[in-house]
Amino acid sequence: MHTPSSDTLAGAPAPTAAPRAAAPTRRVTDAPTRLFHALFALCFLGAYLTADSEHWRRVHVTLGYALAGLLVFRVLYGTIGPRHARLGLLWRRLAGTPAWGRSLMAAWHQRAFATGAMRQGQNLLMALVMGALLLLALPVALSGYATYNDWGGHWLEELHEFLAEAMLMAVFAHLALLAGLSLLRGSNLARPMLNGRVEGRGPDLVPNDRRWLAAWLLLAVLGYFAWEGWHAPVGQALSGWLLP
């Protein structure tokens, strides 16, 4: 019987492991919602960082107006948009707070740890913070507009600053909840706002990503920034130089 030599065995290619299949995912957030989330966060951050600088006042006001425009888009999209993007889902979740409180009290009296009630409480807390962010954005924008136009005096400026600080605290609470719950559940809860997907088998909850609408939203925001920049003092000087 012929046996392969050691040289033959040494020269034979080693078996390669089969490529590991990617974990199944499903889409739960569409592109317009993700883009709104990113633009809303960036506009608030930029407006907050430029709030105390007179040199950057025009930028601060522009970002504040953009924030208000984004809020209008989200309200409209959450009212007449697809079911998964409806703001009614957020309000219905918050409306379940009394029932959750009763179930939690019953579990407390029975000395029973209710995992479902704790998870529901975490979701309610996240919904409360998200609702606070959306609700605070409107008075922040309105008080900022009034302050910019010198309506109401110093007290209105103080109110605008107070509301902006409250919104910043809500942002910190939102980030802390995301980090804490991600560690607790062993899953990145920020992923749906990054790529729109979560791990797990099953059909996509969002069959249509609506990237075309996200593209229009981005063009609208960038177009508004360009319009404001053109009408700023630098833009006016440049237009006068180019078009005497």
Side-chain angles (χ1 to χ4, degrees), residues 13-77:
T16 57
R20 186 177 180 181
T25 61
R26 55 198 181 101
R27 187 187 299 124
V28 295
T29 310
D30 62 10
T33 304
R34 301 197 306 272
L35 182 62
F36 160 80
H37 184 272
L39 293 176
F40 194 79
L42 290 175
C43 285
F44 175 75
L45 177 62
Y48 187 86
L49 293 177
T50 55
D52 296 328
S53 173
E54 189 65 28
H55 179 72
W56 295 100
R57 190 183 187 194
R58 183 74 181 237
V59 175
H60 173 77
V61 173
T62 298
L63 291 172
Y65 288 165
L67 193 75
L70 287 167
L71 180 64
V72 171
F73 166 80
R74 188 64 185 94
V75 171
L76 289 176
Y77 195 57

Side-chain angles (χ1 to χ4, degrees), residues 147-162:
T147 300
Y148 181 66
N149 290 278
D150 295 324
W151 299 347
H154 184 68
W155 71 271
L156 195 56
E157 183 178 352
E158 294 289 336
L159 176 62
H160 179 63
E161 293 179 2
F162 172 79

